Amino acid sequence: MADFTKQHVQNLIAQLKLLNVHSFRINFEGSGDDGQIDEIEFYNANENINIPNDMISWVYTEYGQEPKDRKVTLHKAIEDLGYKMLDETGHDWYNNDGGYGTIDVTLEDEEGRPSVHMEMNIRYTNEDQYDYDDNNFSMFAEGEHIKTEERQRLDKMKAEWVEQRAKENMENA
């Protein structure tokens, strides 16, 4: 797992600024038991740009081991940063119906600081429950079979249709 300090993020931002990156967007999606960052888009002041595969030192900690410096691409460092930000929200965007969204990072806002805006959408399944008992069904109603209002209405419509067809057949004969 990647470790983050403000210094790591400041180094990442400084390297992106050297590449004329003004902001970047991380797109993420998850469901089932899986979630992933789908795409990272980089922007200069006016348009989407590609960045080179430049490397940066990033610190990783394996479970039970000391932190180690590794060289990773800028893209991988930003992906790690995105996963860390998603973890820090505390929302479960990757299980069950999952979720999706974007993380927008501007390297320098009006006050000269980096700013982050995340939009996360969590999906969920909704249920409606209905209860029915014996008397809701004509074949189980006490006494004579009592038809529901809906069944009575349908039977009446059927009888009227049969009667209309019989008239038409007599007129045509």
Side-chain angles (χ1 to χ4, degrees), residues 35-151:
Q36 68 279 336
I37 288 178
D38 293 325
E39 182 179 27
I40 300 172
E41 301 168 295
F42 298 91
Y43 301 93
N44 65 17
N46 301 316
E47 62 187 358
N48 187 308
I49 60 173
N50 291 319
I51 63 165
N53 287 326
D54 288 7
M55 305 295 276
I56 189 170
S57 287
W58 216 236
V59 177
Y60 288 87
T61 303
E62 300 297 326
Y63 181 74
Q65 297 182 5
E66 291 293 314
K68 294 181 183 175
D69 241 10
R70 285 196 210 157
K71 294 278 188 187
V72 297
T73 64
L74 293 171
H75 191 273
K76 172 69 173 139
I78 292 170
E79 185 177 273
D80 290 343
L81 185 64
Y83 283 122
K84 179 67 172 174
M85 287 189 281
L86 286 164
D87 285 345
E88 285 187 8
T89 68
H91 291 290
D92 185 355
W93 58 276
Y94 47 86
N95 282 314
N96 302 319
D97 293 341
Y100 63 95
T102 58
I103 305 169
D104 291 306
V105 178
T106 301
L107 303 186
E108 201 170 287
D109 65 11
E110 296 82 32
E111 297 171 11
R113 297 182 311 212
S115 66
V116 177
H117 175 78
M118 180 186 297
E119 183 178 299
M120 181 183 291
N121 302 281
I122 303 295
R123 296 184 202 100
Y124 61 93
T125 300
N126 192 13
E127 289 182 12
D128 292 326
Q129 180 181 354
Y130 303 93
D131 290 319
Y132 298 94
D133 295 317
D134 297 345
N135 286 329
N136 293 110
F137 304 100
S138 61
M139 67 284 298
F140 291 100
E142 296 217 9
E144 289 187 33
H145 291 291
I146 302 169
K147 293 184 179 181
T148 64
E149 286 181 28
E150 180 68 13
R151 182 75 257 167

Side-chain angles (χ1 to χ4, degrees), residues 16-28:
L16 290 170
K17 283 181 180 180
L18 290 173
L19 297 170
N20 199 29
V21 174
H22 175 265
S23 62
F24 59 88
R25 171 175 275 183
I26 301 170
N27 297 299
F28 60 93

